[in-house]
Amino acid sequence: MAIDPNSAELTLLKSKFLFDEPLAKHTALKVGGPAKIMVELNDETELPKLLILAKKQNYPFLVLGNGSNILISDLGFPGMVVKLNSRIEAQEQGPSLILDVSAGTALGELLNYCAQK
């Protein structure tokens, strides 16, 4: 059973859906065949909804951060890949700075952020 790109389940979500997206575009090594469904997550609260949708369709599910510690087959991934976006949130607590950083954030981006603080 395939997920309909025009289904109400998808149109209500803020995330971007790509079908047969080459994963080589999203990994540091620039290798990897297509994902049946690639989701560029724009709202982290949608992650549980996506997991439920994938489970209902019996799709394998993979969460992809910055793509720097993964090697994907040229055959691709037969299910749903959710790519996390970059996000850095800082909160000052006295002399300390507490960072909340998403898995989609590149190390260089985080280091630049810290250097500016």
Side-chain angles (χ1 to χ4, degrees), residues 80-98:
M80 181 183 290
V81 175
V82 177
K83 183 167 176 27
L84 303 176
N85 286 331
S86 174
R87 179 185 50 76
I88 302 173
E89 293 176 4
Q91 186 177 34
E92 290 187 31
Q93 290 186 354
S96 299
L97 186 64
I98 307 298

Side-chain angles (χ1 to χ4, degrees), residues 15-117:
S15 297
K16 182 178 178 182
F17 290 81
L18 305 167
F19 295 85
D20 297 316
E21 174 72 2
L23 290 170
K25 291 175 160 182
H26 305 277
T27 63
L29 296 175
K30 303 298 181 203
V31 296
K36 188 168 188 82
I37 301 170
M38 173 78 155
V39 183
E40 292 180 352
L41 193 65
N42 292 323
D43 181 349
E44 291 176 8
T45 64
E46 291 184 352
L47 191 56
K49 296 172 190 170
L50 292 168
L51 182 55
I52 290 167
L53 179 60
K55 191 171 184 170
K56 278 187 356 187
Q57 299 292 330
N58 278 337
Y59 281 178
F61 191 82
L62 174 70
V63 177
L64 184 65
N66 196 40
S68 61
N69 64 346
I70 191 165
L71 181 60
I72 297 175
S73 165
D74 288 338
L75 297 176
F77 188 76
M80 181 183 290
V81 175
V82 177
K83 183 167 176 27
L84 303 176
N85 286 331
S86 174
R87 179 185 50 76
I88 302 173
E89 293 176 4
Q91 186 177 34
E92 290 187 31
Q93 290 186 354
S96 299
L97 186 64
I98 307 298
L99 297 178
D100 182 14
V101 182
S102 74
T105 304
L107 181 58
E109 181 182 352
L110 176 59
L111 294 174
N112 286 336
Y113 181 88
C114 290
Q116 293 174 3
K117 295 292 176 182

